[in-house]
């Protein structure tokens, strides 16, 4: 692929934003937002982008002189955790981040800020208190190890001219796959609470990477459908990114979650109310495991208790457009 002209010599006087992984739901929203803010947006991706991941020279040319770098690249975790998928989920995050870090290191004029996607799943299973950036406790096992290795790669090395922020993002409510899956379950009458419980042992959630954590067995929690559900509306993802981009004092991990976490039982009741479905059958792990196997995804996505608080954003004075779950869901269901 022929490299685009270097953003060090942009074709206009506008600042340049480079967005990697821009073809997804969140990426498309950020491309539009940065363009609205007056940025010249360049993209990196597998195809139909200004530079592809196998075009090292093109990536370096895009990064050098850019004002902002955003990385959202990585294989979706909405899949079955086979060995091949586990390896690709980790590789697609760590290697793309390493490639960008090398480009930033080599740049004559590096970006002033680099925002790299991460995940709120990095925290432990929590039902006792919310996890903040300051006092949150990291968990163990596959999903946590992916996030931990991802952030380790992102924060490695010395980049004195570039501020780095890891966006620990919760499930995003909006015109994306997670919201549509939840609404579909509710419309079909399957919008009852999801209960953890017994199932045959497996090793799909075992740790991964150079220093895998956990004992290799899936955890079991008698949550009664009260596992916590942290989330954020897509409009607040965009708003939070703008705040983080423009506030030079913000660096390190930032939780991208709404301030009012729900729980699974309340989530499913809200979904039923939003779609007008009075019936919602509960689902237990012994039902979820075979169903999720057919759907080629994992029960962990609905059974893990994620209770995360946006302490950094609240301290920065960010005013959430959608602090309430029902209002957020109604923007998708309408």
């Amino acid at each position: 692929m022929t490299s685009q002209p270097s953003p060090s010599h942009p074709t206009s006087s506008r600042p340049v934003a480079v967005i990697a992984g821009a073809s997804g739901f969140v990426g498309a929203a950020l491309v539009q937002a940065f363009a609205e803010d007056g940025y010249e947006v360049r993209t990196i991706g597998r195809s139909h982008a200004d530079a592809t991941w196998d075009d090292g020279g093109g990536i370096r040319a895009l990064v050098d002189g850019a004002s902002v770098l955003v990385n959202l690249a990585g294989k979706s975790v909405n899949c079955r955790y086979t060995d091949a998928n586990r390896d690709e989920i980790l590789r697609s995050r760590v290697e793309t981040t390493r490639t960008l870090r090398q480009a930033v290191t080599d740049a004559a004029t590096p970006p002033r800020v680099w925002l790299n996607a991460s995940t709120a799943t990095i925290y432990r299973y929590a039902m006792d208190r919310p996890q903040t950036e300051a006092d949150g406790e990291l968990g163990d096992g596959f999903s946590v190890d992916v996030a931990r290795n991802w952030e380790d790669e992102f924060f490695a090395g010395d980049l004195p001219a570039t501020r780095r922020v890891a966006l620990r993002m919760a499930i995003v409510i909006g015109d994306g796959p997670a919201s549509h899956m939840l609404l579909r379950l509710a419309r079909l009458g399957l919008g009852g609470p999801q209960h953890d419980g017994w199932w045959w042992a497996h090793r799909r959630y075992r740790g991964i990477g150079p220093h895998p954590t956990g004992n290799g067995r899936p955890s079991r929690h008698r949550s009664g459908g009260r596992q916590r559900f942290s989330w954020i509306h897509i409009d607040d993802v965009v708003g939070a990114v703008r705040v983080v981009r423009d506030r030079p004092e913000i660096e390190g991990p930032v939780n991208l979650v709404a301030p009012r976490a729900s729980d699974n039982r309340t989530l499913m009741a809200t979904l039923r109310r939003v779609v007008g479905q009075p019936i919602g059958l509960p689902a237990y792990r012994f039902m979820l495991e075979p169903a999720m196997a057919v759907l080629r995804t994992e029960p962990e996505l609905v059974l893990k208790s994620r209770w995360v608080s946006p302490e950094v954003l609240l301290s920065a004075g960010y005013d959430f457009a959608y602090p309430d779950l029902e209002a957020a869901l109604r923007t998708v269901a309408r």
Side-chain angles (χ1 to χ4, degrees):
M1 176 178 177
T2 301
S3 299
Q4 299 294 316
S6 169
S8 297
H9 306 284
T11 57
S12 73
S13 60
R14 294 181 295 162
V16 173
V18 176
I19 301 181
S23 61
F25 163 50
V26 174
L30 291 181
V31 167
Q32 179 179 341
F34 273 85
E36 290 172 352
D37 292 347
Y39 284 80
E40 181 178 339
V41 180
R42 308 286 183 85
T43 61
I44 303 170
R46 292 189 298 271
S47 61
H48 307 296
D50 294 297
T52 56
W53 289 110
D54 58 359
D55 179 14
I59 292 173
R60 287 191 295 273
L62 290 178
V63 169
D64 194 357
S67 296
V68 183
L69 172 61
V70 181
N71 179 29
L72 305 168
K75 175 180 172 57
S76 172
V77 296
N78 186 20
C79 65
R80 201 68 174 163
Y81 292 168
T82 63
D83 287 351
N85 283 340
R86 281 165 44 92
D87 290 345
E88 182 59 16
I89 286 170
L90 179 61
R91 186 209 65 79
S92 63
R93 285 159 172 76
V94 172
E95 290 190 7
T96 54
T97 301
R98 182 180 301 135
T99 296
L100 293 175
R101 184 164 54 80
Q102 189 59 56
V104 173
T105 300
D106 294 343
T109 307
R112 58 180 174 81
V113 58
W114 176 8
L115 313 180
N116 209 74
S118 182
T119 172
T121 301
I122 197 170
Y123 297 110
R124 65 173 172 85
Y125 186 108
M127 294 185 68
D128 55 336
R129 65 175 179 85
Q131 307 294 295
T132 72
E133 298 91 343
D135 64 6
E137 299 171 281
L138 304 191
D140 57 39
F142 171 67
S143 297
V144 172
D145 285 353
V146 168
R148 193 195 310 265
N149 282 279
W150 198 4
E151 289 193 7
D152 285 348
E153 186 64 45
F154 175 52
F155 288 116
D158 186 24
L159 301 176
T162 301
R163 176 168 56 96
R164 285 177 279 186
V165 180
L167 305 174
R168 291 179 174 173
M169 203 177 309
I171 290 174
V172 180
I173 302 297
D175 190 19
S179 298
H180 290 305
M181 179 192 71
L182 291 170
L183 290 165
R184 186 166 60 250
L185 288 174
R187 289 190 176 102
L188 292 173
L190 303 175
Q194 284 118 16
H195 298 263
D196 204 346
W198 179 86
W199 187 251
W200 286 283
H202 62 76
R203 290 178 51 79
R204 299 193 308 275
Y205 301 166
R206 68 190 184 280
I208 196 171
H211 305 288
T213 63
N215 59 16
R217 297 189 299 271
S219 58
R220 298 284 185 268
H221 300 272
R222 297 289 183 179
S223 62
R226 292 295 183 186
Q227 63 269 26
R228 304 295 292 198
F229 176 75
S230 288
W231 58 277
I232 186 169
H233 191 274
I234 184 62
D235 288 359
D236 283 315
V237 172
V238 171
V241 165
R242 283 171 164 149
V243 167
V244 171
R245 177 195 67 194
D246 298 337
R247 297 283 290 270
E249 72 275 15
I250 298 177
E251 60 182 348
V254 174
N255 294 338
L256 262 60
V257 298
R260 300 171 193 164
S262 182
D263 63 21
N264 179 264
R265 186 179 293 270
T266 303
L267 163 68
M268 302 313 290
T270 305
L271 284 164
R272 295 196 303 271
R273 187 162 57 249
V274 165
V275 302
Q277 171 58 273
I279 298 172
L281 299 177
Y284 296 84
R285 181 179 279 271
F286 74 87
M287 302 159 65
L288 286 169
E289 287 281 358
M292 293 295 197
V294 171
L295 295 173
R296 307 309 299 164
T297 189
E298 289 290 342
E300 180 188 52
L301 299 176
V302 294
L303 291 179
K304 180 175 179 178
S305 186
R306 299 170 176 86
W307 191 359
V308 184
S309 177
E311 184 177 67
V312 170
L313 289 175
L314 292 175
S315 297
Y318 178 67
D319 186 16
F320 282 81
Y322 292 95
D324 296 312
L325 179 60
E326 183 164 346
L329 288 171
R330 288 192 181 280
T331 67
V332 188
R334 63 189 177 196

